[in-house]
Amino acid sequence: MRVWNPDANERDHAVLEWGWTRPKLRADLRFHFHQDRDQPIYVIEDRVNRRCLQVGLPEYRFLRRLDGRKTASKLVGEAAIYGENARDEDKTASLLRWALDQQLLVSDEGLQADRRREQLESCQRLTKKKGLMKLFFPK
């Protein structure tokens, strides 16, 4: 089981400006609450990649807010307003990098691939229809 560590060396995502991104958590992830030595933790079950990850309560609360509608900066500000553990930008960026490395976020490429697959399927259905039309209505 992998545990989020804000000080760990992760891949370099320096080109990403996290403050302006609108990260979205994958919908297929499952979260399970556990108590470990009187510390609340959440286990993230990633069935697609067949693994479990572990995060603390503040990280869980932040990750669950990643709905793709609000920027990361806005989410950090809301957490401070609601009196939750204030996250600084470095910790937030580190958590987002970790989530990206662990493939917990929906990527734009994934959405684009889904749109391309849907377009291909609709083209294939149209081609089948045209083939049947030629069969039943020859010129």
Side-chain angles (χ1 to χ4, degrees):
M1 181 180 305
R2 298 177 106 174
V3 178
W4 177 72
N5 180 359
D7 300 322
N9 259 342
E10 300 291 339
R11 282 187 269 170
D12 184 21
H13 297 287
V15 294
L16 291 175
E17 180 59 45
W18 289 109
W20 300 107
T21 60
R22 297 177 190 276
K24 183 176 182 180
L25 201 61
R26 286 184 14 226
D28 62 329
L29 298 173
R30 307 228 180 204
F31 293 85
H32 306 281
F33 176 79
H34 291 279
Q35 195 80 13
D36 184 31
R37 298 186 196 118
D38 296 329
Q39 291 288 336
I41 60 167
Y42 278 86
V43 174
I44 304 169
E45 183 181 356
D46 183 358
R47 292 183 177 183
V48 172
N49 295 314
R50 296 183 179 175
R51 63 181 168 182
C52 290
L53 306 163
Q54 181 178 321
V55 294
L57 185 59
E59 291 80 20
Y60 164 78
R61 287 180 176 162
F62 184 78
L63 288 172
R64 292 299 284 186
R65 286 196 181 106
L66 300 178
D67 59 3
R69 289 183 268 162
K70 296 179 182 174
T71 64
S73 294
K74 185 161 182 92
L75 292 170
V76 170
E78 285 179 358
I81 289 171
Y82 295 131
E84 294 178 5
N85 290 348
R87 306 188 63 78
D88 64 5
E89 288 184 33
D90 292 336
K91 284 186 180 178
T92 300
S94 179
L95 178 60
L96 288 170
R97 277 187 226 111
W98 176 82
L100 185 63
D101 287 340
Q102 301 304 319
Q103 301 171 349
L104 301 179
L105 303 177
V106 175
S107 67
D108 292 338
E109 293 85 23
L111 296 174
Q112 188 175 12
D114 289 343
R115 286 192 297 267
R116 286 180 182 163
R117 185 171 42 262
E118 288 172 7
Q119 183 180 12
L120 177 65
E121 289 170 356
S122 69
C123 287
Q124 288 172 341
R125 283 191 300 267
L126 187 60
T127 303
K128 280 184 181 179
K129 269 187 182 178
K130 285 182 180 179
L132 287 174
M133 295 298 280
K134 286 181 182 178
L135 183 69
F136 291 115
F137 302 103
K139 291 184 180 180

